Amino acid sequence: VPPHHSAAGRPCPPGLFPAFSYMTQEEDWDRDLLLDPAWEKQQRKTFTAWCNSHLRKAGTQIENIEEDFRNGLKLMLLLEVISGERLPKPDKGKMRFHKIANVNKALDFICSKGVKLVSIGAEEIVDGNVKMTLGMIWTIILRFAIQDISVEETSAKEGLLLWCQRKTAPYRNVNVQNFHIRWACNAELWRARRTDDPIGNLNTAFDVAEKFLDIPKMLDAEDIVNTPKPDEKAIMTYVSCFYHAFAGAEQAETAANRICKVLAVNQENEKLMEEYEKLASELLEWIRRTIPWLENRTAEQTMRAMQQKLEDFRDYRRIHKPPRVQEKCQLEINFNTLQTKLRLSNRPAFMPSEGKMVSDIANAWKGLEQVEKGYEEWLLTEIRRLERLDHLAEKFKQKCAMHESWTSGKEDLLSQKDYESASLMEIRALMRKHEAFESDLAAHQDRVEQIAAIAQELNELDYHDAATVNARCQGICDQWDNLGTLTQKRRDALERVEKLWETIDQLYLEFAKRAAPFNNWMDGAVEDLQDMFIVHSIEEIQSLITAHDQFKATLPEADKERMATMGIHNEILKIAQTYGIKLSGINPYTNLSPQDISTKWDTVKHLVPLRDQMLQEEVARQQANERLRRQFAAQANIIGPWIQTKMEEISHVSVDIAGSLEEQMNSLKQYEQNIINYKSNIDKLEGDHQLSQESLIFDNKHTNYTMEHIRVGWEQLLTTIARTINEVENQILTRDAKGISQEQLNEFRASFNHFDRKRNGMMDPDDFRACLISMGYDLVSGVQGEVEFARIMTLVDPNNTGVVTFQAFIDFMTRETAETDTAEQVMASFKILASDKNYITVEELRRELPPEQAEYCITRMTRYIGADGPPGALDYISFSSALYGESDL
């Protein structure tokens, strides 16, 4: 056969010979060269075992290498197995030309792979030429088992020899120089080292390779030990099997490590998802239980019970709610961290269960705070209402007692008929007495109206014992109507007899007329001096003191009136004494005696200093309340601006590009510690606020800050520092995962700050476009630029908020530079572990992966449904896709 032609006389495709150019001239197969019998034996055994190691994959084997390849069928099958390609359909006939045609198809296929076939023809293979058959098999081995071996860019043979030298370098007395002479010498060195049984040792090594590496026994130990120069081709064939076995093991180990890494990331993410779900469920359940309690507006009937409700609410705001605020903040931080890790590991975003989104929790929290605010306002309103009710109820009882005391016996008095047997003077006296009573009755009309007004106000304020109040008020009103009726009847009777009797004692009458209004004035004064009051400020108590001082200023004039009235009585006594008139001792026109006037005047003088003392005590109480107001205001006016200042300082730290992210983190941690240390000031202010509420102080003109303002500001400050720290942590995660240098981050921050015109940590779309253009993005030219910018906006603002945050900006700038695992890489790794199969078995997973990762895959992989898989085979392709969100597990 001419050089560069196939065995069938057809030229080999041009340009293919250089691919096999590593073969030197001495390696070409010389048809006239006689084989050493020992080498021929070694080649027969080695080549036969090598062929069977591949043919068994197709369910067949050969026994005699020169006989079993003569018809070309198993030769074509061998080439299909080792190449993975389909050869032309073989001829089915048994004639010689059919066999030659099949062998030629095999030789043509070998030639198409760039193999130089020298002096090997199809007829010689069909005729069973041992030398040509062995030469052909050696050519196949070179092309498909040895040619692709390369170590440090050496030729296949040199690379295989270099690989042997490296693998045996750690062993003493082993020095591999080539595949024949030095190989035999090294065998002798091994035999010298283990003098007891070198052949047994070699057979043990061959058996171990066959059992654990699936390398069939290709040589006899005797052939190596007893042959001075073993056949190089047999040795190279045998050694190449070891090379591929160890190379496959290293590849499987690499694949297993990749899978373990991917599974570890997935397990960690699943754990974070479970923790988020648990924490979200607990927080939502707490909100669900708390809202009905805050929505309950059932008022208590006593001041003590309502103050207990206020104390319970104070415990809720100071003890029960703050940990939940921290849980809510931590939940948002965990969610952001999880999403960052998922994005960095090329996993789909985490979608919590229905109703447990961060927005759902925020809405539930907003509803809680709305109900909470209304609840505190309701409590304070109810306490004020009960305070007012208690005051009105006491005032009602006092006035009712005074009125009932005054009306006691009046109905009997008006019902008697003493005028029927009275003298003229007595009749006149009775008439004047009745007139005085009518005057007294009119004076008490105001008190009855006051009692009715107080009862009406108690009803309007929903007093709990309104029924008793109404019954008592109705009784007084009915009695008053009856008194009016009786009074009118008695007047009518006296007027009828008055015409008959004209004698009257003018002095008694004058005394009665002056004593009655003075007595009424004293009654009013006693009532005013004993009147209860309620005030909430120094101004109000000063107003009462002023009114009391004005009342005291009228006492000298009242004393003159008392003395004038008593002078009339003294004049009566003087006249009676002068004219010897025997007085009965009873003024017929009034029931008031001089003793009554004196006693009541003494009562007024006694009550005045008591009233002074009561007013001064209230002044002291209001001054104490004013001190509490000023004390609270002094602290609140310091804490409020301090919180605002810290908020501004934190925002400045988050946009400052000086220093590394770790330095920013340390600075923020220091801010966080300072804020935590400041908590004692908030607690002290809470204590002052509690004292104010216990003293029933509900307003403070010395400050614009309420306790609720301070609480909300403090909670916002804690949330802001926690979120800012989380943003820096996510930037560190992004930097480390994407391989970004500190200089790049500083450049990104400088660009972002330059175009953050509002200085609020966010860019508008127009500012973001200008930033991208300044960094070299072509977003100016026409429709294409608009489309590209719209695509970028979907990446940095997927929720269409209309702004671009710094974290989204960093994610976009580093998106193209990250090294991330892909579903295709994981599939390729599983394919290596599965020995190129489209499925993998449970045994292979447990053999190649650590126990935890293996069981994780076994429990989550679906069953393989292909016809070529054994029972129990698993589908690693769909599993790999599901890891990256491309399908469902």
Side-chain angles (χ1 to χ4, degrees):
V1 179
H4 307 281
H5 281 67
S6 69
R10 295 181 293 275
C12 291
L16 294 179
F17 297 107
F20 218 59
S21 61
Y22 65 85
M23 294 180 60
T24 63
Q25 185 61 36
E26 67 177 7
E27 292 171 328
D28 292 344
W29 201 266
D30 190 351
R31 67 182 296 125
D32 297 326
L33 179 64
L34 295 178
L35 280 175
D36 183 286
W39 287 8
E40 180 179 341
K41 177 183 176 183
Q42 293 174 6
Q43 288 186 11
R44 277 174 174 270
K45 184 174 182 62
T46 303
F47 291 178
T48 300
W50 184 86
C51 291
N52 284 334
S53 69
H54 293 289
L55 286 174
R56 67 182 178 182
K57 298 177 183 177
T60 186
Q61 64 179 9
I62 62 173
E63 299 293 341
N64 191 313
I65 195 167
E66 69 270 19
E67 290 295 331
D68 293 345
F69 284 141
R70 290 179 62 185
N71 61 5
L73 296 178
K74 289 188 177 181
L75 179 59
M76 294 178 69
L77 182 60
L78 174 65
L79 291 172
E80 286 186 347
V81 171
I82 63 178
S83 68
E85 301 180 18
R86 298 290 297 179
L87 271 68
K89 186 175 181 182
D91 293 353
K92 296 298 184 180
K94 297 183 180 181
M95 304 296 291
R96 175 178 175 81
F97 72 89
H98 291 130
K99 297 178 181 180
I100 293 174
N102 289 337
V103 174
N104 273 328
K105 291 177 182 178
L107 296 179
D108 287 343
F109 178 78
I110 295 171
C111 183
S112 69
K113 297 301 179 182
V115 179
K116 180 181 178 183
L117 294 173
V118 180
S119 303
I120 299 177
E123 292 81 358
E124 293 164 317
I125 303 301
V126 173
D127 292 338
N129 187 310
V130 177
K131 179 181 178 182
M132 292 300 104
T133 302
L134 292 175
M136 176 190 65
I137 297 303
W138 170 244
T139 301
I140 294 173
I141 292 172
L142 281 175
R143 172 59 182 86
F144 292 100
I146 300 178
Q147 174 182 340
D148 294 333
I149 297 175
S150 177
V151 179
E152 297 184 357
E153 299 181 357
T154 62
S155 67
K157 179 178 178 180
E158 292 172 347
L160 185 60
L161 183 60
L162 180 58
W163 179 80
C164 291
Q165 292 170 343
R166 289 183 175 177
K167 291 297 182 181
T168 59
Y171 301 96
R172 296 176 59 188
N173 299 329
V174 177
N175 184 17
V176 177
Q177 297 296 328
N178 53 47
F179 291 107
H180 41 79
I181 298 175
R182 293 306 301 169
W183 191 272
C185 292
N186 281 294
E188 289 297 326
L189 290 172
W190 175 264
R191 182 171 60 182
R193 183 174 179 230
R194 300 290 301 273
T195 58
D196 52 349
D197 188 9
I199 293 177
N201 292 337
L202 287 175
N203 282 329
T204 299
F206 293 161
D207 292 340
V208 170
E210 184 172 19
K211 181 178 181 180
F212 295 101
L213 300 179
D214 199 23
I215 300 175
K217 187 175 182 181
M218 298 183 181
L219 289 172
D220 294 327
E222 293 82 359
D223 294 339
I224 297 177
V225 174
N226 298 329
T227 302
K229 183 180 180 182
D231 179 62
E232 182 182 49
K233 297 179 177 60
I235 295 298
M236 288 180 65
T237 301
Y238 209 162
V239 173
S240 69
C241 293
F242 282 90
Y243 172 84
H244 288 296
F246 285 116
E250 293 176 357
Q251 191 178 22
E253 181 180 359
T254 301
N257 289 337
R258 177 183 293 277
I259 292 174
C260 289
K261 176 184 176 183
V262 171
L263 295 179
V265 171
N266 219 56
Q267 288 173 310
E268 181 183 359
N269 291 340
E270 288 182 355
K271 181 179 179 182
L272 289 175
M273 294 175 189
E274 293 172 357
E275 291 176 353
Y276 174 89
E277 291 281 343
K278 179 176 179 296
L279 188 58
S281 299
E282 292 175 353
L283 184 57
L284 288 172
E285 177 61 20
W286 178 80
I287 294 174
R288 184 191 66 79
R289 293 196 312 267
T290 305
I291 287 179
W293 174 65
L294 294 174
E295 289 177 338
N296 182 12
R297 298 295 193 273
T298 303
E300 300 294 339
Q301 296 182 354
T302 65
M303 189 75 166
R304 181 182 181 86
M306 287 304 297
Q307 287 177 335
Q308 182 60 46
K309 277 183 174 287
L310 181 62
E311 182 66 26
D312 293 341
F313 179 76
R314 188 182 298 116
D315 290 342
Y316 156 78
R317 289 292 284 116
R318 297 180 58 185
I319 300 174
H320 303 298
K321 185 182 177 184
R324 300 298 179 177
V325 173
Q326 294 295 325
E327 289 179 7
K328 175 176 175 291
C329 180
Q330 188 62 44
L331 189 68
E332 296 175 355
I333 291 173
N334 291 349
F335 182 85
N336 293 335
T337 302
L338 174 59
Q339 298 294 40
T340 299
K341 289 185 175 181
L342 289 173
R343 183 172 62 255
L344 294 177
S345 59
N346 201 22
R347 302 301 198 276
F350 169 57
M351 290 296 295
S353 302
E354 183 177 358
K356 297 179 183 177
M357 297 287 292
V358 173
S359 59
D360 297 326
I361 296 173
N363 291 335
W365 190 266
K366 182 178 180 182
L368 174 70
E369 292 185 331
Q370 289 176 347
V371 175
E372 174 184 302
K373 180 179 179 181
Y375 186 78
E376 185 174 23
E377 293 175 352
W378 173 76
L379 281 176
L380 297 178
T381 301
E382 280 299 312
I383 288 175
R384 294 190 187 99
R385 184 182 70 84
L386 287 176
E387 181 188 22
R388 175 67 176 166
L389 283 174
D390 290 345
H391 170 70
L392 289 175
E394 285 299 320
K395 191 171 185 178
F396 176 81
K397 292 176 183 178
Q398 183 186 53
K399 287 187 178 294
C400 286
M402 293 179 65
H403 178 79
E404 289 167 349
S405 175
W406 180 82
T407 59
S408 178
K410 293 292 190 297
E411 291 173 297
D412 295 337
L413 181 64
L414 292 172
S415 299
Q416 66 182 357
K417 298 182 180 181
D418 52 345
Y419 52 85
E420 292 181 347
S421 59
S423 63
L424 177 61
M425 185 171 291
E426 290 174 341
I427 291 298
R428 289 183 174 179
L430 289 175
M431 187 61 185
R432 300 299 180 267
K433 182 179 180 180
H434 186 71
E435 291 175 352
F437 174 77
E438 285 181 330
S439 177
D440 198 11
L441 187 68
H444 285 79
Q445 175 69 30
D446 291 338
R447 181 186 293 146
V448 175
E449 293 175 356
Q450 291 175 3
I451 291 173
I454 294 173
Q456 181 179 359
E457 187 172 358
L458 286 172
N459 280 275
E460 291 174 352
L461 293 177
D462 196 18
Y463 182 57
H464 68 91
D465 198 15
T468 302
V469 170
N470 292 336
R472 192 171 185 180
C473 179
Q474 187 63 44
I476 289 174
C477 291
D478 292 344
Q479 184 189 42
W480 187 256
D481 292 339
N482 189 39
L483 284 174
T485 300
L486 293 175
T487 300
Q488 186 62 40
K489 287 182 179 180
R490 185 171 179 82
R491 165 172 278 280
D492 294 339
L494 289 173
E495 285 179 350
R496 284 196 303 270
V497 298
E498 187 179 15
K499 296 178 181 179
L500 302 173
W501 306 96
E502 298 176 353
T503 305
I504 187 168
D505 191 341
Q506 293 297 328
L507 290 176
Y508 272 138
L509 179 61
E510 185 178 355
F511 176 86
K513 288 183 177 180
R514 298 196 67 166
F518 183 70
N519 181 69
N520 291 337
W521 176 87
M522 288 192 296
D523 286 340
V526 170
E527 181 178 353
D528 291 338
L529 290 171
Q530 293 179 335
D531 187 36
M532 299 178 64
F533 59 85
I534 178 172
V535 295
H536 295 95
S537 66
I538 293 179
E539 290 77 10
E540 292 177 0
I541 190 61
Q542 287 295 342
S543 176
L544 291 178
I545 292 175
T546 301
H548 184 61
D549 292 337
Q550 292 173 353
F551 168 76
K552 289 192 293 184
T554 64
L555 289 178
E557 189 68 23
D559 190 47
K560 291 180 180 179
E561 179 64 18
R562 180 189 66 81
M563 293 177 66
T565 303
M566 295 302 294
I568 294 174
H569 176 68
N570 293 333
E571 183 67 18
I572 293 173
L573 294 176
K574 182 178 179 182
I575 293 173
Q577 186 178 7
T578 302
Y579 296 101
I581 298 175
K582 187 177 181 180
L583 299 174
S584 62
I586 299 175
N587 191 327
Y589 304 112
T590 181
N591 289 325
L592 293 173
S593 66
Q595 184 63 35
D596 294 334
I597 299 296
S598 298
T599 300
K600 196 165 290 187
W601 177 254
D602 293 338
T603 300
V604 171
K605 290 194 295 181
H606 174 71
L607 291 175
V608 169
L610 293 180
R611 183 72 169 183
D612 286 334
Q613 179 182 356
M614 185 184 302
L615 292 173
Q616 290 304 316
E617 290 175 352
E618 183 61 26
V619 168
R621 191 176 76 87
Q622 290 301 324
Q623 289 174 344
N625 289 350
E626 184 67 10
R627 285 193 296 272
L628 287 176
R629 289 188 180 96
R630 293 181 181 276
Q631 181 176 336
F632 176 88
Q635 295 186 74
N637 290 336
I638 294 174
I639 293 176
W642 183 88
I643 292 175
Q644 182 64 33
T645 300
K646 292 303 175 185
M647 293 283 285
E648 296 173 356
E649 290 176 356
I650 291 170
S651 65
H652 291 160
V653 170
S654 64
V655 300
D656 188 9
I657 64 173
S660 64
L661 290 177
E662 284 74 13
E663 292 173 343
Q664 291 186 29
M665 176 64 71
N666 292 334
S667 177
L668 289 172
K669 288 292 186 180
Q670 292 176 0
Y671 272 103
E672 184 180 40
Q673 187 59 46
N674 291 338
I675 291 171
I676 293 174
N677 294 338
Y678 200 79
K679 181 64 166 59
S680 60
N681 296 313
I682 304 297
D683 294 338
K684 185 176 184 304
L685 189 65
E686 283 281 5
D688 292 343
H689 178 64
Q690 179 178 351
L691 291 176
S692 297
Q693 288 194 331
E694 290 172 351
S695 299
L696 302 179
I697 300 174
F698 304 109
D699 57 359
N700 195 335
K701 65 182 180 180
H702 303 295
T703 181
N704 293 326
Y705 294 100
T706 66
M707 193 65 232
E708 185 59 23
H709 291 153
I710 299 298
R711 289 170 184 159
V712 171
W714 178 254
E715 292 171 359
Q716 290 178 347
L717 180 60
L718 292 177
T719 301
T720 300
I721 187 65
R723 287 177 176 169
T724 305
I725 291 175
N726 179 247
E727 289 176 359
V728 176
E729 289 174 342
N730 286 339
Q731 291 176 25
I732 293 174
L733 282 174
T734 302
R735 180 197 66 189
D736 295 341
K738 308 284 186 173
I740 305 172
S741 66
Q742 185 63 45
E743 290 73 20
Q744 288 176 304
L745 277 178
N746 290 341
E747 290 177 3
F748 293 158
R749 170 60 77 182
S751 298
F752 185 92
N753 290 345
H754 178 74
F755 289 93
D756 179 16
R757 306 187 193 282
K758 295 181 180 179
R759 294 297 181 265
N760 58 357
M762 294 177 288
M763 287 192 293
D764 294 333
D766 291 339
D767 296 335
F768 179 57
R769 180 197 291 269
C771 179
L772 292 178
I773 293 174
S774 71
M775 300 178 72
Y777 283 80
D778 184 11
L779 302 176
V780 182
S781 56
V783 177
Q784 184 176 359
E786 291 296 328
V787 172
E788 177 62 12
F789 181 71
R791 182 191 69 81
I792 294 175
M793 283 300 296
T794 61
L795 297 176
V796 299
D797 185 21
N799 296 324
N800 293 323
T801 60
V803 294
V804 179
T805 65
F806 180 68
Q807 185 61 43
F809 178 76
I810 289 292
D811 290 342
F812 170 75
M813 296 304 299
T814 59
R815 188 179 302 274
E816 301 296 332
T817 63
E819 266 191 49
T820 57
D821 296 313
T822 65
E824 289 74 16
Q825 290 175 328
V826 177
M827 290 180 195
S829 298
F830 272 116
K831 192 174 182 93
I832 292 172
L833 297 187
S835 300
D836 289 336
K837 300 189 296 292
N838 290 329
Y839 59 86
I840 193 167
T841 64
V842 173
E843 292 76 13
E844 289 171 332
L845 285 172
R846 287 176 174 160
R847 182 178 69 241
E848 301 294 347
L849 298 179
E852 183 180 356
Q853 279 74 23
E855 295 305 321
Y856 180 83
C857 293
I858 292 170
T859 57
R860 284 166 172 76
M861 282 185 181
T862 59
R863 297 297 179 187
Y864 180 72
I865 59 176
D868 57 334
L874 300 176
D875 185 357
Y876 63 79
I877 295 178
S878 61
F879 174 79
S880 301
S881 298
L883 287 178
Y884 292 87
E886 299 175 7
S887 65
D888 296 327
L889 277 175

